[in-house]
C-alpha cells in the first residue's frame, strides 16, 4: 500500500474505532481522454463527446466523497479540455457543455501522450485519495510507448488505468497498458503480452472492480459508447464508495488494520486496570 492509501486507511480506521458517525470526504479523481484522431468521423466524435457528457450524470454531487474530473482530447497531441475540477450540482451543466463543445481536430493517434497528460493534470494539483484514468479510442499507437506511459502513471501514484476499445481499436496494445489496484500494481508484461491482472471485457453491465484490476472494455461502435461509458462511470462510482450516502470503501488490508487498533486499545485497558 502506498503512503497516500496508508494515510487514508489510518484516518478511516481511527474514525471507525472511535465510533465516529461520519467520515471526512475523500477526493476521487476521474480522468477521461477522448480520441479525436482522423479515423474518428465527426459524427462518431459527436457521439463520443455526447456520451461522456451524459455519463457525468452518474457522478454524485453529494455524499461522503467528492469527485474531481479532468477531460482531454487527443490525436497526435493531447490537449486539456477540463482541468481537474470537483463536480458539483452547480457546475455539472457547464462541464457537460465544455465537453459537447470540443471540435474534432482529426490528427494522428498518440494514446501514450493522452495518458501522460491526464497523469500530469492530476499530479499537478495533488492526487486525490484515489485516481483512475479512462481512455476511449478506436485506434492504437506504439505499444512500447503506451506501456511506458502506463508504468510512469502508476509510478506517479495513479491507482488505475482502463480503456474503451471502440470498433477496430488495437486491443492487444491496450491490454498491455491497463492496470488497477493502486500504485506499484503495474507490471510491464513485455512485448505482445497482456498485463498481469488486466482483462478484456465485453459486457458493460458486468465490469470488474476498477479499484482492484484494470480492464479493456470492448465497444462495438460509437453508437454503443454512451451506454458503455455510463455503465463504466457508475461502476467506478460504486467501487469508490459513491453509490450511497453511507457507503465508504474499505481499502485492502483495512480489516487487519482495525484488528490491530482494537488489540492495541485492549492491551492499554488491561495495563491501566
Amino acid at each position: 500500500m502506498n503512503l497516500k492509501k496508508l494515510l487514508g486507511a489510518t484516518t478511516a480506521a481511527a474514525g471507525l474505532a472511535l465510533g465516529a458517525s461520519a467520515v471526512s470526504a475523500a477526493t476521487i479523481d476521474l480522468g477521461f481522454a477522448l480520441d479525436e484522431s482522423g479515423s474518428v468521423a465527426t459524427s462518431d466524435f459527436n457521439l463520443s463527446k455526447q456520451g461522456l457528457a451524459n455519463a457525468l450524470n452518474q457522478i454524485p454531487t453529494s455524499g461522503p466523497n467528492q469527485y474531481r474530473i479532468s477531460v482531454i482530447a487527443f490525436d497526435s497531441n493531447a490537449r486539456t479540455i477540463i482541468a481537474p475540477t470537483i463536480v458539483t450540482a452547480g457546475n455539472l451543466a457547464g462541464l457537460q457543455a465544455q465537453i459537447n463543445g470540443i471540435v474534432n481536430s482529426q490528427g494522428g493517434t498518440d494514446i501514450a501522450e493522452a495518458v501522460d497528460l491526464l497523469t500530469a493534470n492530476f499530479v499537478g494539483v495533488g492526487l486525490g485519495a484515489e485516481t483512475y484514468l479512462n481512455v476511449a479510442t478506436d485506434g492504437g499507437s506504439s505499444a512500447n510507448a503506451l506501456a511506458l506511459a502506463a508504468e510512469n502513471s502508476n509510478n506517479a501514484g495513479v491507482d488505475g488505468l482502463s480503456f474503451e476499445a471502440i470498433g477496430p481499436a488495437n486491443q492487444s496494445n491496450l491490454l498491455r497498458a491497463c492496470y488497477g489496484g493502486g500504485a506499484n500494481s503495474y507490471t510491464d508484461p513485455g512485448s505482445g503480452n497482456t498485463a498481469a491482472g488486466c482483462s478484456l471485457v465485453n459486457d458493460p453491465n458486468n465490469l470488474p472492480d476498477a479499484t482492484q484490476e484494470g480492464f479493456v472494455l470492448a465497444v462495438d461502435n460509437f453508437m454503443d459508447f454512451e451506454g458503455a461509458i455510463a455503465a463504466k462511470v457508475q461502476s467506478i462510482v460504486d467501487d469508490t464508495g459513491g453509490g450511497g450516502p453511507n457507503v465508504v470503501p474499505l481499502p485492502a488490508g483495512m480489516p487487519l488494520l482495525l484488528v490491530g487498533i482494537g488489540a492495541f486499545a485492549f492491551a492499554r485497558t488491561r495495563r491501566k486496570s
Side-chain angles (χ1 to χ4, degrees), residues 32-50:
F32 301 97
L34 292 178
D35 187 341
E36 58 176 355
S37 62
S39 61
V40 181
T42 298
S43 58
D44 286 336
F45 185 71
N46 288 341
L47 289 171
S48 66
K49 66 183 184 181
Q50 290 165 8

Side-chain angles (χ1 to χ4, degrees), residues 35-239:
D35 187 341
E36 58 176 355
S37 62
S39 61
V40 181
T42 298
S43 58
D44 286 336
F45 185 71
N46 288 341
L47 289 171
S48 66
K49 66 183 184 181
Q50 290 165 8
L52 176 57
N54 291 339
L56 296 190
N57 290 321
Q58 310 303 315
I59 296 178
T61 56
S62 62
N65 295 331
Q66 293 180 312
Y67 288 83
R68 182 171 60 180
I69 69 165
S70 181
V71 177
I72 72 165
F74 69 96
D75 51 17
S76 303
N77 300 291
R79 57 193 176 110
T80 297
I81 306 301
I82 298 174
T85 304
I86 298 290
V87 179
T88 69
N91 69 11
L92 175 59
L95 295 173
Q96 292 172 315
Q98 284 182 264
I99 295 171
N100 280 318
I102 305 172
V103 177
N104 188 4
S105 63
Q106 296 190 318
T109 306
D110 192 338
I111 305 172
E113 184 165 336
V115 174
D116 287 341
L117 181 56
L118 276 179
T119 300
N121 282 354
F122 286 116
V123 169
V125 297
L127 295 175
E130 298 181 53
T131 303
Y132 300 96
L133 309 183
N134 182 86
V135 179
T137 181
D138 75 335
S141 54
S142 167
N144 289 335
L146 180 54
L148 178 60
E151 182 178 9
N152 290 339
S153 175
N154 188 237
N155 289 341
V158 173
D159 298 287
L161 169 64
S162 57
F163 300 88
E164 283 78 56
I166 305 172
N170 189 323
Q171 296 177 353
S172 296
N173 284 3
L174 302 181
L175 283 165
R176 281 191 58 193
C178 59
Y179 67 87
N184 304 316
S185 67
Y186 177 75
T187 302
D188 189 338
S191 179
N193 298 321
T194 298
C198 188
S199 58
L200 179 65
V201 180
N202 292 289
D203 182 2
N205 296 310
N206 188 25
L207 298 175
D209 183 338
T211 68
Q212 301 300 316
E213 60 181 294
F215 57 93
V216 174
L217 175 58
V219 182
D220 289 339
N221 51 58
F222 283 92
M223 288 290 294
D224 293 340
F225 176 71
E226 179 169 350
I229 191 63
K232 176 79 166 291
V233 171
Q234 184 62 62
S235 177
I236 293 178
V237 167
D238 291 343
D239 293 340

